[in-house]
Amino acid sequence: LPQAKYKERGTVLAEDQLAQMSKQLDMFKTNLEEFASKHKQEIRKNPEFRVQFQDMCATIGVDPLASGKGFWSEMLGVGDFYYELGVQIIEVCLALKHRNGGLIMLEELHQQVLKGRGKFAQDVSQDDLLRAIKKLKVLGNGFGIIPVGGTYLIQSVPAELNMDHTVVLQLAEKKGYVTVSEIRSSLKWEMERAKQVLEHLLKEGMAWLDTQAEGEPQYWLPALFTELYSQEITPEEAEAAIP
Amino acid sequence: LELGETLVIQQRGVRLCDGEEKVKFDSGVLLLSTHRLIWRDQKNHECCIAVPLSQIVFIEEQAAGIGKSAKIVVHLHPASSNKEPGPFQSSKYSYIKLSFKEHGQIEFYRRLSEEIIQRRWENMPAGQTIQVNKDPQARRIRAVGIVGIERKLEEKRKETDKNISEAFEDLSKLMEKAKEMVELSKSIANKIKEKQGDITEDETIRFKSYLLSMGIANPVTRETHGSGTHYHMQLAKQLAGILQTPLEERGGIMSLTEVYCLVNRARGLELLSPEDLVNACKMLESLKLPLRLRIFDSGVMVIELQSHNEEEMVASALETVSEKGSLTADEFAKLVGMSVLLAKERLLLAEKMGHLCRDDSVEGLRFYPNLFLTQS
């Protein structure tokens, strides 16, 4: 009997708190509506403000992009902005996959996405792209972000890229290509290890082999060819992008 | 335009040059009013330059040439000392050139000439009129190319800065309140843990939906927030309706990424977050809907029709590969009309089931029928 009473009391406590949370939620919603009525445009138009907003949310443990049904998304419209960006990122990556094996520099992705959005669309920053990509990962599509030379390579295929592969990509970033000797001298690896990594990148279509190069063969990464930036996506490629 | 000032004509695609030198004002709309000549940047509408017509000494036409647009040259009086500051302190030219990249200079020249002759601004005082020092022996004659310019750009920038600080302040206050919500949710979650399952299902669902609204991760399970809410159940049912036909058109299977794009493109507004989609799909099977979520070993996630049997498809894949001797994922995808991603998964599954063997070389990953199995 005492145990039953204890349980009963426990139930009441949770119910009280839930009721309190419900009330506070309503109040918060009102506050957010007020904020939105004054500053919604600021979020839409100002990439720096968006960064501040996102950082603050992260600090307090809130994810404004978790759900389209969340208050943040519904009232500030941040959701639609990032989810649509996600679609555009997927399309660009699909269109260019056959060229670069599913690796693309953040800068190139940025340029292509901006082009696709047209002249009158809202400004989109690289920070925006990174946040959208982080959200896309949950779809199990292999999206990943690889730091290289002060910026990032974006992976969009479910290929396994471990630390060894990443470090070789970082090495290749400076010139767009890398050789076995460079890997061995910079990273102090044995021949076998260097070759394995390069072969994996070749198999995945992320690297091309230039056997005609002077000296030893060069492994080029299309994702890093700066000359190919802002090359138009052809109509055939665009078609391939829409499943 | 000021009170009493009337628009006479406007023309887009006009470049403004300081004398012979090109400056940054290369694409804009040129407006002629009864009082002023105004140039506004086509890309940045806040960048706006104006010249009172009273400052114009005379104008001339310059015909177009090969690779050159027709121009109007506007000769100006020196600036008076009480002129408002503009983007240029001084210039070695006393004229500006207007380059009509999209034509329209003939009509514009005619109207501009008319306005200069009629001097309507003298009859209709409007806004500020700048006094012209017509004395050529004036003490400080500064030849300026662009005169009487209004500094709207600077004003606009100051206003924007003020808006941002206010926004940050309001944002900080809002975040304080959001933080309270997070603390409260943690406290409730602790209570739930203490009770160890004595909380009703209804209360759990309510709590989860509150978390969903705020974007707070479920403190109890730490799993993707909001799974199991009414919203996701409804969404799952909607998806079953929306995806039936597209799935049938694509051989009964689609990657979750394809679904995300398809659904969001169709919605246009109030888009689904990736997590919304995943959480809804996780409920498909328990809700006994005709679709299901499947996760391959590689981590690739797909939606299949319940009627779809990937293992059966493997049998036909084996036939296709056997016919051709061997196939890569790319080749197979093209043959069958599938996405490369799903083609690869099917071949990998066939390999897992022992029907295919791989040949993994730098040329790519190629699949062969597993003769070890069939011919032993």
Side-chain angles (χ1 to χ4, degrees):
Chain A
L1 211 58
Q3 208 180 34
K5 281 222 161 144
Y6 177 70
K7 277 190 182 170
E8 220 179 75
R9 201 161 156 270
T11 313
V12 168
L13 275 177
E15 179 55 48
D16 270 353
Q17 286 213 292
L18 279 179
Q20 183 192 359
M21 186 163 186
S22 175
K23 255 176 62 181
Q24 271 190 250
L25 213 61
D26 280 341
M27 265 181 54
F28 183 79
K29 196 173 170 195
T30 311
N31 290 327
L32 185 54
E33 272 170 349
E34 208 188 300
F35 180 83
S37 69
K38 283 162 70 178
H39 305 297
K40 187 170 177 176
Q41 285 308 313
E42 211 55 59
I43 294 207
R44 267 175 33 93
K45 295 198 296 189
N46 189 337
E48 286 87 33
F49 192 61
R50 275 201 293 280
V51 174
Q52 283 293 326
F53 168 74
Q54 294 274 19
D55 283 347
M56 282 180 154
C57 285
T59 306
I60 62 170
V62 157
D63 182 359
L65 299 182
S67 172
K69 199 73 184 146
F71 287 160
W72 308 98
S73 189
E74 290 190 326
M75 269 167 254
L76 289 181
V78 270
D80 278 5
F81 174 79
Y82 285 99
Y83 308 147
E84 188 188 8
L85 191 53
V87 173
Q88 290 161 348
I89 291 169
I90 291 168
E91 288 175 351
V92 167
C93 288
L94 263 179
L96 296 176
K97 194 177 80 162
H98 73 101
R99 286 193 211 170
N100 56 31
L103 279 184
I104 184 170
M105 288 294 275
L106 182 60
E107 282 72 18
E108 186 179 1
L109 179 61
H110 191 204
Q111 273 182 34
Q112 295 285 9
V113 166
L114 285 176
K115 255 196 266 178
R117 286 167 72 92
K119 290 198 294 190
F120 301 104
Q122 283 162 262
D123 191 20
V124 154
S125 69
Q126 288 185 2
D127 182 83
D128 291 328
L129 290 176
L130 289 172
R131 290 187 199 270
I133 291 168
K134 283 182 190 147
K135 284 288 148 196
L136 290 178
K137 283 189 191 189
V138 80
L139 296 173
N141 42 29
F143 263 92
I145 300 174
I146 303 167
V148 294
T151 173
Y152 299 95
L153 264 176
I154 306 301
Q155 178 184 355
S156 61
V157 289
E160 200 219 295
L161 290 181
N162 59 30
M163 289 287 305
D164 274 7
H165 302 121
T166 307
V167 106
V168 166
L169 289 174
Q170 288 164 346
L171 196 58
E173 189 263 339
K174 299 185 196 71
K175 294 185 288 181
Y177 71 89
V178 75
T179 60
V180 174
S181 316
E182 281 166 9
I183 295 178
R184 296 190 67 195
S185 64
S186 302
L187 304 173
K188 313 277 186 270
W189 288 357
E190 302 96 52
M191 176 77 88
E192 209 28 62
R193 188 176 174 187
K195 284 206 149 165
Q196 260 194 32
V197 167
L198 292 171
E199 274 181 18
H200 183 75
L201 293 175
L202 281 177
K203 280 184 207 170
E204 293 294 339
M206 294 172 179
W208 297 345
L209 182 55
D210 179 9
T211 48
Q212 312 257 336
E214 233 186 80
E216 62 178 300
Q218 293 171 346
Y219 292 78
W220 285 82
L221 280 98
L224 304 173
F225 288 179
T226 41
E227 301 84 60
L228 289 185
Y229 282 14
S230 65
Q231 276 218 348
E232 300 291 330
I233 292 181
T234 66
E236 295 79 33
E237 286 169 333
E239 250 186 65
I242 302 181
Chain B
L1 291 179
E2 312 279 357
L3 201 63
E5 187 182 13
T6 325
L7 182 66
V8 175
I9 185 178
Q10 68 183 57
Q11 176 60 46
R12 28 173 290 153
V14 179
R15 168 185 278 139
L16 181 62
C17 297
D18 176 18
E20 298 303 316
E21 284 167 10
K22 287 195 177 132
V23 287
K24 64 184 176 187
F25 307 119
D26 76 336
S27 188
V29 183
L30 189 65
L31 299 112
L32 173 65
S33 78
T34 45
H35 292 65
R36 294 178 291 171
L37 191 60
I38 303 168
W39 184 92
R40 187 180 69 207
D41 194 327
Q42 257 165 237
K43 285 184 216 128
N44 177 9
H45 286 213
E46 287 150 9
C47 177
C48 210
I49 302 166
V51 177
L53 295 182
S54 50
Q55 292 289 77
I56 299 177
V57 178
F58 71 95
I59 60 175
E60 9 169 32
E61 279 184 305
Q62 243 179 30
I66 302 170
K68 288 190 208 290
S69 321
K71 297 180 179 53
I72 295 180
V73 184
V74 182
H75 293 264
L76 301 161
H77 285 290
S80 57
S81 45
N82 66 344
K83 165 182 105 60
E84 281 182 10
F88 293 92
Q89 288 290 70
S90 68
S91 139
K92 57 183 192 247
Y93 302 103
S94 59
Y95 60 90
I96 56 173
K97 279 193 179 186
L98 301 161
S99 189
F100 288 75
K101 299 193 286 187
E102 287 177 42
H103 308 292
Q105 77 286 351
I106 297 173
E107 185 62 23
F108 207 97
Y109 183 81
R110 194 172 72 78
R111 303 298 215 107
L112 183 55
S113 307
E114 264 178 32
E115 291 303 320
I116 292 173
I117 291 166
Q118 289 177 18
R119 304 179 78 90
R120 287 199 271 178
W121 65 85
E122 289 181 350
N123 306 331
M124 301 180 264
Q128 338 117 305
T129 40
I130 295 174
Q131 297 305 88
V132 176
N133 183 358
K134 288 207 167 106
D135 183 359
Q137 265 94 32
R139 286 182 308 279
R140 274 191 317 131
I141 300 180
R142 274 185 328 170
V144 285
I146 300 173
V147 299
I149 288 161
E150 289 151 24
R151 201 68 179 281
K152 285 223 178 119
L153 199 64
E154 182 60 35
E155 273 178 29
K156 260 294 156 143
R157 203 180 321 146
K158 285 198 188 125
E159 201 184 301
T160 311
D161 280 347
K162 180 171 150 291
N163 283 344
I164 298 217
S165 350
E166 194 193 320
F168 277 137
E169 235 184 81
D170 288 345
L171 182 64
S172 306
K173 288 192 202 132
L174 188 73
M175 287 299 165
E176 282 302 316
K177 303 206 171 87
K179 194 163 169 203
E180 285 170 24
M181 301 297 304
V182 176
E183 296 307 321
L184 182 55
S185 74
K186 279 188 193 152
S187 156
I188 295 180
N190 284 334
K191 284 263 167 3
I192 293 176
K193 251 201 304 215
E194 281 166 23
K195 287 174 64 180
Q196 292 168 16
D198 268 1
I199 183 170
T200 68
E201 180 151 339
D202 196 53
E203 285 170 338
T204 310
I205 292 183
R206 266 171 71 194
F207 184 48
K208 280 183 176 176
S209 76
Y210 296 160
L211 296 178
L212 183 73
S213 299
M214 284 300 300
I216 299 172
N218 190 329
V220 179
T221 60
R222 293 249 153 259
E223 64 173 14
T224 46
H225 22 261
S227 56
T229 66
H230 287 302
Y231 168 62
H232 292 106
M233 279 202 293
Q234 277 185 327
L235 192 51
K237 292 178 191 160
Q238 271 179 33
L239 286 172
I242 298 169
L243 296 175
Q244 183 74 28
T245 310
L247 278 168
E248 284 166 6
E249 289 170 356
R250 288 163 178 76
I253 184 169
M254 279 174 80
S255 76
L256 210 53
T257 310
E258 284 175 66
V259 172
Y260 176 78
C261 291
L262 189 90
V263 171
N264 276 340
R265 265 193 238 107
R267 284 171 84 115
L269 283 180
E270 287 178 23
L271 306 182
L272 300 182
S273 77
E275 278 159 83
D276 286 335
L277 183 59
V278 171
N279 288 332
C281 289
K282 282 183 179 167
M283 301 183 80
L284 288 170
E285 208 140 9
S286 62
L287 290 173
K288 310 249 188 294
L289 292 164
L291 321 174
R292 63 167 167 255
L293 175 69
R294 179 175 182 159
I295 306 178
F296 288 115
D297 294 341
S298 61
V300 169
M301 296 165 85
V302 298
I303 300 294
E304 297 177 323
L305 286 172
Q306 283 284 4
S307 55
H308 178 89
N309 190 329
E310 188 66 10
E311 280 71 11
E312 274 172 19
M313 304 306 290
V314 159
S316 87
L318 175 58
E319 264 184 54
T320 312
V321 173
S322 304
E323 270 170 42
K324 299 288 176 182
S326 72
L327 287 174
T328 65
D330 275 333
E331 290 164 355
F332 180 61
K334 270 208 192 81
L335 261 179
V336 177
M338 279 178 92
S339 73
V340 178
L341 185 79
L342 296 180
K344 188 165 179 189
E345 290 302 327
R346 186 164 294 171
L347 293 175
L348 286 172
L349 183 62
E351 182 193 30
K352 188 173 172 187
M353 289 166 66
H355 298 299
L356 294 178
C357 272
R358 70 166 55 192
D359 173 24
D360 206 354
S361 72
V362 291
E363 319 265 302
L365 178 58
R366 189 165 279 280
F367 290 90
Y368 292 79
N370 184 1
L371 299 175
F372 295 111
L373 196 66
T374 53
Q375 287 176 9
S376 43

